[in-house]
Amino acid sequence: MTRLSRPRAARTVARTVAAALAATGLLGVAACGGGTAEQVTADGAVTVQFWYGVSGAAGDYLKQKVAEFNDAHRGRITVEASYQGGYQDTFAKLAASIQTGDVPTLMQASDVQSAYMRDSGIVEPVQDLLGADGRTVADGLLPIVRNYYETAGTLWSMPMFVSQPVMYLNNAVLREAGVDPAGLRTFDDVLGAAQTIHRVTGRAGLTFPVDSWWAEQFAAASDRLWCTPGNGVGDTRATALNADDPALLDLWDRLAAMYADGSLANLGTSGDKLVGALSAGTVGILFNSSGGFSAVEKAKIDVTVAPMPRVSDRTGSAPGGNSLWVLKEGKDDARLRAAAEFVRFVGSAAFQGDVLKTTGYLPSTAEAAQAARASADANRRVLLDNEARTPATPVTAGCHLGALNEVRADVRTAMARIAAGESPREQFAEVQDKAETAVRRYETRVEATQK
């Protein structure tokens, strides 16, 4: 097994990281924009660059909060936030920039990039950056959030916008089919209800995005590790995928049969299309991210939010979303101290307090969640309860596989083929084979950074 370590942040490491980004499929978009333009003036004022990849309500909220931070630190710290066109585009630019060492001090990365960022050798764990405050900050996170972003006892990045999968129920459709929302707790309950909706109303009972994140969520809800050992959150990197787990294959066999009989609708990956189907009443139940709550709310229909089905109360859903990373490559103490101040701000009530109300994402800290509950409506309370009550285990930490970006692309292809009528067992056997190759390639690159 491969033990975790903190490789040196030398220029050779940076170049190896850039090569690994390309090898794992993270470098697939042309870089955009210019240099970082970071500076420290003679009077000690620091300007640091922050690259981010969220848009819409979350992007607007982030720009507002950066402006508030800059106002509060006028003359001392300026964070120059620049949208890079999405997570993949941000990583493409990172790959191009680290070869010269001209990288930003701050970067937002999605959940899929967490293991890679940790292994890269170019980041400073935020717990170390914050010194004596690091442990306190980590302890203030909600257990399920800390469970995802802490590896081997170290908090590597600051959770920024957190999400979890939930169910959205069209109450009118469920009433017409005679389905009681209170009885939807397990996969048997929900899949049976979807078939009832289809039989009684002729509508599809269920839909969810044809996106690989859902394969990971189905594993967590089934109390199964998606990668091993231990989903990669202990002191050993994950080096294998569990796509051929018998219990998961049984679930996918059932889903495939439901695609075939029309009780499960394949609506692709478009969030607008999925929410539109729920709003129009052409589907009764939608599995979607809590981050999509704002879009559902804007549809102004009678919808109930409910936790995802799970095999028992000992498991639940893994968090998603994104987090803030500090890149130490070529950075002096002044820039790192400035970065630490912004990290503290992102984890504070000033940032996290209005995340749910404004964006639909979930707060990362217990303090912010408690404050949000005071003004939350019934559906938002379900989101908060789901986040607070999900047990923190290796299963609900989600898969931290360094090659996850490449693996997710293969899983997404497999899911689309299953929805089109192909065999789940054949498709996931192919995924498993490709994952073994991807992991071997990734491990070879990581080992090179440690020499």
Side-chain angles (χ1 to χ4, degrees):
M1 293 188 292
T2 309
R3 295 289 172 186
L4 290 176
S5 64
R6 296 182 188 173
R8 299 180 304 275
R11 183 63 49 83
T12 54
V13 171
R15 289 173 177 165
T16 304
V17 170
L21 284 167
T24 58
L26 286 169
L27 176 54
V29 185
C32 58
T36 61
E38 295 190 332
Q39 61 179 333
V40 181
T41 65
D43 60 0
V46 182
T47 298
V48 294
Q49 289 287 311
F50 168 38
W51 292 354
Y52 69 95
V54 292
S55 56
D60 292 341
Y61 183 80
L62 182 55
K63 287 184 285 188
Q64 172 195 332
K65 291 300 176 181
V66 169
E68 290 177 10
F69 176 86
N70 286 339
D71 285 344
H73 294 78
R74 191 175 301 277
R76 294 182 292 130
I77 302 171
T78 300
V79 172
E80 291 191 351
S82 55
Y83 175 64
Q84 300 300 317
Y87 298 129
Q88 292 296 89
D89 295 343
T90 305
F91 253 61
K93 187 173 181 182
L94 175 67
S97 298
I98 59 180
Q99 296 185 70
T100 63
D102 190 23
V103 298
T105 302
L106 297 160
M107 181 173 144
Q108 181 190 57
S110 74
D111 57 337
V112 68
Q113 296 152 351
S114 294
Y116 192 91
M117 292 293 286
R118 179 198 66 200
D119 293 340
S120 69
I122 64 171
V123 303
E124 179 74 8
V126 298
Q127 184 171 324
D128 293 351
L129 182 72
L130 298 178
D133 294 338
R135 186 74 268 157
T136 301
V137 169
D139 289 346
L141 297 173
L142 286 161
I144 189 61
V145 178
R146 177 176 170 181
N147 190 44
Y148 187 92
Y149 288 104
E150 186 177 85
T151 303
T154 297
L155 182 66
W156 284 80
S157 61
M158 177 59 71
M160 182 172 276
F161 296 114
V162 176
S163 64
Q164 273 189 301
V166 291
M167 291 194 296
Y168 297 94
L169 312 176
N170 184 312
N171 291 321
V173 175
L174 268 62
R175 281 193 297 269
E176 182 180 347
V179 171
D180 180 5
L184 304 181
R185 295 182 56 84
T186 68
F187 277 109
D188 283 343
D189 296 334
V190 174
L191 301 187
Q195 291 172 314
T196 298
I197 290 169
H198 183 59
R199 184 180 68 254
V200 174
T201 71
R203 302 179 179 94
L206 172 66
T207 192
F208 55 83
V210 182
D211 182 277
S212 52
W213 191 56
W214 292 95
E216 298 163 35
Q217 294 300 341
F218 294 162
S222 300
D223 203 20
R224 315 297 290 186
L225 293 168
W226 186 236
C227 57
T228 59
N231 261 340
V233 295
D235 63 357
T236 305
R237 283 200 305 276
T239 55
L241 193 70
N242 283 345
D244 56 358
D245 184 290
L248 299 179
L249 292 177
D250 288 346
L251 175 59
W252 279 103
D253 282 343
R254 187 168 181 184
L255 293 173
M258 292 176 64
Y259 277 125
D261 69 23
S263 56
L264 172 57
N266 173 17
L267 299 179
T269 61
S270 169
D272 290 343
K273 188 173 183 180
L274 291 158
V275 173
L278 184 76
S279 302
T282 56
V283 66
I285 303 170
L286 169 63
F287 292 170
N288 206 3
S289 169
S290 58
F293 176 76
S294 294
V296 173
E297 188 176 45
K298 288 177 183 176
K300 298 187 183 303
I301 60 171
D302 184 14
V303 171
T304 294
V305 177
M308 282 287 291
R310 52 187 176 175
V311 296
S312 75
D313 289 341
R314 69 175 178 269
T315 191
S317 303
N322 54 71
S323 63
L324 179 66
W325 294 79
V326 177
L327 307 184
K328 64 183 179 182
E329 178 73 12
K331 305 306 175 186
D332 57 21
D333 288 345
R335 290 176 177 84
L336 292 177
R337 284 194 298 270
E341 286 303 305
F342 190 67
V343 167
R344 287 189 177 90
F345 174 71
V346 167
S348 72
F351 187 100
Q352 292 294 326
D354 291 328
V355 163
L356 177 59
K357 181 174 66 176
T358 307
T359 72
Y361 280 95
L362 301 170
S364 65
T365 68
E367 178 187 10
Q370 184 176 0
R373 172 176 289 280
S375 60
D377 59 17
N379 280 334
R380 284 183 171 83
R381 284 197 297 273
V382 171
L383 297 177
L384 292 168
D385 287 345
N386 190 50
E387 183 184 33
R389 295 173 183 173
T390 301
T393 70
V395 167
T396 59
C399 175
H400 291 245
L401 190 70
L404 187 58
N405 190 76
E406 185 175 356
V407 169
R408 277 189 172 181
D410 293 330
V411 173
R412 186 163 51 249
T413 297
M415 290 175 63
R417 290 173 176 171
I418 291 167
E422 297 193 30
S423 164
R425 292 175 186 269
E426 292 177 4
Q427 289 302 311
F428 280 112
E430 184 175 341
V431 165
Q432 189 72 19
D433 288 343
K434 290 181 176 179
E436 291 175 4
T437 301
V439 169
R440 281 197 301 271
R441 182 163 54 237
Y442 177 83
E443 288 298 314
T444 298
R445 296 290 184 180
V446 170
E447 287 171 9
T449 72
Q450 299 178 1
K451 293 180 179 178

